[in-house]
């Protein structure tokens, strides 16, 4: 704390420069430093803008154009894509009606994302608690065991689930082999399969942030509760849960967001009938040949994710202030 | 109610009944499907569910499959180039956005660099499909560069974050000492900053490489005809009859992933 970065004045007076000139020089140095920093950031900025962020604007433009007959678009303005997100024109009497097929998919996406979040909570919170209460050396090992699946290929993990639950898969073969069932139980291509698969692939996203907040938990507070004759249930609900809440919220959002935008897991496990939003979007660029509608749906999905993300920032920002 | 008081063991604030059981079951559930996938890759029979003896034949078959060879080489090629370029750009950006008082635009740079993490992959994929379709029509070029560019962009935040973390935990006094001893800024960077930062750079590279190697969604939308990577090849295959060949490829890819992630952890923990 000996030299607070408040200004160049002390240094200037000791080297005998007049303060005004010193300030100008310091300003020039700072400006150059900032210019260098911008130059250094430029390649990253350029690549991300060109091949990730920038094209999003084109999606917005495309959502207001007319679909071309063989895919792509014609450069004519049309609001139809946005209307078609939720409404459709009756073929016979030209009246507008709810686009039931789309609404069903929106609903399924939300429902399955909430279900996945709930399931990962049920499994993830105890797991995080378990890891956080190990001694330091074994804790690293358990953490590593959670992290490894997180960084292994999502497609492969989905295939692993598929091989368990398909009709010729491990579970059905075992049950038939044991004589418990005669016909395989149809688990693939159901909403259950999608929820199971997403729970499986996104579970680490719940465990890691919850673990981080349990690790910071001051267990003396829990012991104080014990000393004051709180019941175990009360201790959990009144002391532990409020303190771990930021981690639980973070984990829930981190699971909810990729679930909502999931594409691979519902494609592999849900098949052609049980679409989620990601698959509906893809459909418009493939067989659907309605790029503007696909673009409008993509922006809708992005907006839904942004809402969840802003809530996350809001909550974690507040959490940080609480803990100083 | 407060039944634990009467039990023989002393009270522990760290024990919640049932949690350890759920946790161990969760770990078992997490690893069982992967274990089964790996085990059946060594199955002598055709089935992915009935064990018929140990054999490496599916590995041999995958190894000799020309489509697999081609996809593997393409995956490795794209990942190498994308991870290298991304790491280079991310290192420069990390140096620019750390260890300074916040300057105007710094938050904007940070947000932009991390943007690929915040948008659902399917949305980015669709955006790139549209954007590259325009360029393809305008230029007539349909080569591999699109795929490499897309991979580089989404690899940048993954390379950036560990490098940035490393920079922020680095000791500034060594660089100041170098400057006091009349080292030029370049010498200081070359001889002091870079060696200290190196584990972070390597960790960023490893992470970017794995992320590129594993990508399905963006690759599926951006690739032109005949540009399958290993994951998109597998996605196409599982629609048909499943044979343990898919398990064999998965196992190989899993192994590669685990090796890289282990290296990543080793590097990012290094002091």
């Amino acid at each position: 704390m000996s030299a607070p970065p408040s200004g160049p004045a002390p240094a200037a007076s000791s080297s005998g420069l007049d303060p005004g000139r010193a300030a100008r020089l310091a300003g020039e140095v700072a400006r150059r430093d900032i210019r260098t920093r911008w130059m250094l950031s430029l390649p990253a900025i350029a690549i991300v803008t060109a091949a990730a962020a920038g094209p999003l604007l084109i999606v917005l433009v495309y959502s207001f154009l007319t679909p071309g007959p063989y895919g792509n678009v014609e450069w004519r303005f049309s609001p139809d894509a946005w209307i078609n997100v939720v409404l459709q024109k009756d073929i016979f009497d030209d009246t507008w009606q709810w686009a039931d097929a789309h609404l069903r998919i929106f609903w399924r996406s939300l429902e399955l994302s909430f279900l996945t979040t709930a399931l990962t909570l049920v499994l993830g919170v105890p797991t995080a608690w378990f890891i956080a209460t190990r001694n330091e050396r074994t804790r690293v090992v358990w953490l590593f065991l959670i992290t490894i699946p997180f960084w292994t290929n999502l497609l492969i993990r989905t295939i692993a689930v598929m091989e368990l639950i398909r009709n010729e898969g491990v579970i059905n073969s075992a049950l038939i082999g044991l004589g418990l069932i005669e016909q395989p139980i149809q688990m693939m291509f159901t909403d259950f399969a999608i929820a199971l698969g997403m729970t499986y692939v996104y579970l680490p996203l719940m465990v890691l942030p919850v673990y981080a907040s349990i690790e910071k938990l001051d267990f003396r507070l829990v012991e104080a509760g014990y000393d004051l004759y709180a019941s175990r249930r009360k201790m959990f609900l009144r002391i532990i849960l409020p303190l771990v809440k930021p981690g639980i919220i973070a984990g829930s959002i981190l699971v909810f967001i990729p679930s909502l935008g999931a594409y691979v897991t519902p494609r592999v496990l849900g098949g052609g009938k049980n679409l989620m939003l990601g698959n509906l979007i893809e459909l418009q660029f493939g067989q659907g040949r309605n790029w503007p509608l696909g673009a409008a749906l993509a922006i809708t999905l992005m907006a839904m994710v942004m809402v969840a993300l802003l809530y996350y920032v809001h909550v974690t920002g507040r959490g940080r202030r609480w803990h100083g | 109610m407060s039944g634990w008081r009467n039990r023989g063991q002393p009270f522990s604030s760290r024990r919640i009944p049932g949690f350890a059981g759920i946790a161990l079951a969760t770990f078992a559930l997490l690893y069982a499907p992967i274990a089964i996938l790996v085990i059946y890759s060594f199955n002598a029979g055709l089935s992915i569910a009935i064990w018929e003896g140990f054999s490496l034949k599916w590995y041999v078959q995958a190894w000799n499959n020309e489509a697999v060879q081609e996809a593997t080489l393409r995956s490795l090629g794209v990942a190498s180039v994308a991870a290298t370029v991304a790491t280079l750009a991310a290192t420069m950006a990390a140096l620019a956005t750390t260890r300074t008082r916040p300057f105007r635009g710094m938050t904007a740079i940070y947000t932009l660099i991390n943007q690929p993490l915040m948008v659902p992959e399917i949305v980015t994929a669709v955006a790139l499909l549209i954007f590259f379709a325009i360029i393809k029509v305008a230029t007539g070029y349909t080569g591999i560069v699109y795929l490499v560019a897309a991979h580089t962009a989404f690899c940048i935040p993954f390379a950036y974050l560990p490098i940035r973390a490393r920079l922020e935990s680095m000791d500034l006094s060594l660089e100041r000492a170098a400057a006091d001893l009349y080292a030029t800024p370049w010498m200081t960077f070359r001889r002091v900053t870079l060696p200290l930062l190196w584990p972070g750079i390597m960790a960023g590279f490893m992470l970017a490489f794995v992320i590129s190697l594993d990508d399905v969604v963006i690759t599926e939308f951006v690739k032109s005809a005949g540009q399958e990577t290993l994951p998109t090849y597998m996605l196409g295959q599982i629609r048909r009859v499943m044979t343990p060949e898919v398990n064999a490829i998965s196992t190989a890819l899993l192994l590669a992933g685990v090796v890289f992630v282990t290296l990543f952890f080793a590097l990012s923990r290094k002091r």
Side-chain angles (χ1 to χ4, degrees):
Chain A
M1 291 294 120
S2 55
S6 55
S13 55
S14 67
S15 62
L17 277 170
D18 95 84
R21 182 147 175 263
R24 270 198 308 281
L25 269 175
E28 177 60 23
V29 168
R31 262 193 302 280
R32 269 196 205 164
D33 177 57
I34 290 173
R35 200 161 58 222
T36 314
R37 287 175 183 277
W38 273 98
M39 295 298 286
L40 276 174
S41 311
L42 213 57
I45 293 174
I47 296 169
V48 174
T49 307
L56 294 178
L57 292 175
I58 305 176
V59 178
L60 187 64
V61 173
Y62 264 50
S63 70
F64 288 103
L65 297 177
T66 310
Y70 309 109
N72 219 322
V73 290
E74 283 173 18
W75 283 84
R76 224 160 358 101
F77 172 83
S78 159
D80 285 357
W82 281 101
I83 298 169
N84 282 328
V85 169
V86 288
L87 295 174
Q88 61 186 4
K89 211 173 227 170
D90 194 291
I91 336 166
F92 299 110
D93 57 10
D94 272 7
T95 54
W96 288 103
Q97 288 170 341
W98 292 109
D100 290 335
H102 289 181
L103 294 177
R104 247 200 316 279
I105 291 170
F106 271 99
W107 179 243
R108 176 183 294 118
S109 296
L110 284 170
E111 203 178 35
L112 289 177
S113 302
F114 277 116
L115 181 61
T116 302
T117 310
L119 288 172
T120 52
L121 266 175
V122 169
L123 297 174
V125 173
T127 306
W129 182 271
F130 176 81
I131 299 174
T133 51
R134 295 308 94 187
N135 68 42
E136 217 150 294
R137 199 171 294 166
T138 48
R139 197 189 297 171
V140 179
V141 178
W142 290 111
L143 257 187
F144 192 62
L145 284 176
I146 278 289
T147 323
I148 282 282
F150 176 56
W151 288 119
T152 52
N153 195 315
L154 183 133
L155 175 64
I156 292 175
R157 284 183 288 151
T158 307
I159 291 177
V161 173
M162 180 177 95
E163 294 198 353
L164 273 187
I165 65 173
R166 51 194 272 145
N167 287 356
E168 311 81 31
V170 175
I171 291 177
N172 274 318
S173 301
L175 289 175
I176 291 174
L178 290 170
L180 291 172
I181 51 171
E182 275 168 17
Q183 293 298 316
I185 303 166
Q186 177 69 40
M187 287 180 279
M188 278 290 281
F189 310 128
T190 61
D191 284 356
F192 161 77
I194 302 175
L196 181 78
M198 293 202 302
T199 304
Y200 182 66
V201 296
Y202 296 134
L203 186 65
L205 291 173
M206 177 64 82
V207 176
L208 294 174
V210 176
Y211 161 79
S213 67
I214 295 176
E215 200 206 9
K216 276 185 288 185
L217 184 69
D218 186 349
F219 282 96
R220 283 173 307 181
L221 293 172
V222 186
E223 273 146 30
Y226 169 73
D227 290 341
L228 295 168
Y229 296 101
S231 71
R232 193 175 275 279
R233 209 172 78 92
K234 228 178 201 166
M235 245 157 44
F236 185 73
L237 292 177
R238 295 281 186 81
I239 303 173
I240 296 171
L241 216 50
L243 287 171
V244 177
K245 207 170 124 190
I248 289 181
I249 292 174
S252 302
I253 303 270
L254 286 182
V255 170
F256 185 79
I257 288 178
S259 301
L260 202 59
Y263 168 79
V264 172
T265 309
R267 172 167 163 181
V268 173
L269 299 175
K273 278 188 190 153
N274 300 59
L275 301 185
M276 283 180 64
L277 264 173
N279 313 99
L280 180 64
I281 293 169
E282 189 218 4
L283 196 62
Q284 308 310 321
F285 289 90
Q287 300 160 1
R289 284 187 189 154
N290 194 340
W291 286 29
L293 177 57
L297 287 166
I299 290 170
T300 311
L301 171 63
M302 199 167 78
M304 289 162 82
V305 166
M306 284 299 150
V307 170
L309 214 56
L310 286 176
Y311 176 69
Y312 171 69
V313 171
H314 173 73
V315 170
T316 50
R318 213 173 47 190
R320 208 164 291 143
R321 225 179 303 141
W322 280 341
H323 295 293
Chain B
M1 288 245 292
S2 48
W4 81 85
R5 272 180 233 276
N6 306 328
R7 280 191 208 149
Q9 50 186 309
F11 168 77
S12 161
S13 60
R14 288 157 195 264
R15 246 193 97 252
I16 297 182
F19 270 27
I22 298 177
L24 293 174
T26 303
F27 278 108
L29 289 175
L30 213 49
Y31 279 90
I34 298 177
I36 290 169
L37 181 97
V38 171
I39 290 169
Y40 279 96
S41 72
F42 296 107
N43 192 5
L46 245 176
S47 168
I48 53 159
I50 298 158
W51 183 254
E52 289 172 36
F54 179 87
S55 155
L56 287 173
K57 73 180 206 188
W58 299 110
Y59 286 89
V60 176
Q61 184 169 324
W63 183 261
N64 291 326
N65 184 337
E66 258 174 53
V68 175
Q69 288 173 3
E70 203 186 301
T72 307
L73 287 178
R74 190 172 291 109
S75 276
L76 291 174
V78 170
S80 307
V81 178
T84 306
V85 178
T87 307
L88 206 62
T91 305
M92 289 162 68
L95 283 166
T97 52
T98 48
R99 311 192 295 172
T100 177
R101 275 191 284 167
F103 57 90
R104 188 204 286 267
M106 194 169 96
T107 319
I109 297 175
Y110 181 77
T111 311
L112 184 70
I113 285 173
N114 287 301
Q115 182 272 345
L117 299 179
M118 290 182 272
V119 174
E121 234 193 323
I122 182 78
V123 176
T124 309
V126 161
L128 289 174
L129 172 75
I130 294 176
F131 179 50
F132 289 157
I134 296 173
I135 301 184
K136 280 174 190 172
V137 169
T139 62
Y141 174 75
T142 55
I144 196 83
V145 169
Y146 300 107
L147 209 52
V148 175
H151 277 236
T152 307
F154 69 69
C155 281
I156 283 179
F158 288 99
Y160 173 78
L161 292 172
I163 298 172
R164 183 191 154 94
R166 177 88 192 174
L167 270 170
E168 279 181 337
S169 68
M170 259 166 54
D171 192 355
L172 276 173
S173 59
L174 286 168
E175 286 165 294
R176 241 180 254 131
D180 285 349
L181 294 167
Y182 298 102
T184 60
W186 173 246
M187 280 257 283
T188 309
F189 176 75
R190 187 69 194 73
R191 296 288 181 82
V192 180
T193 316
L194 200 57
L196 283 171
L197 186 55
W198 194 245
I201 295 176
M202 285 313 288
F205 176 82
M206 300 287 170
L207 205 52
F209 193 87
V210 172
I211 293 293
S212 166
L213 206 59
D214 285 352
D215 180 71
V216 188
V217 183
I218 289 176
T219 310
E220 180 79 359
F221 280 75
V222 168
K223 71 180 164 66
S224 303
Q227 291 182 350
E228 301 285 357
T229 61
L230 213 43
T232 63
Y233 171 78
M234 289 169 66
L235 189 64
Q237 283 298 303
I238 56 176
R239 276 286 164 99
R240 304 174 199 172
V241 183
M242 283 278 289
T243 67
E245 191 183 339
V246 170
N247 298 39
I249 302 170
S250 301
T251 305
L253 212 48
L254 274 177
L255 192 67
V258 170
V259 167
F260 270 88
V261 172
T262 311
L263 284 174
F264 166 75
F265 271 101
L267 285 167
S268 47
R269 289 171 67 85
K270 201 166 159 186
R271 283 292 97 197

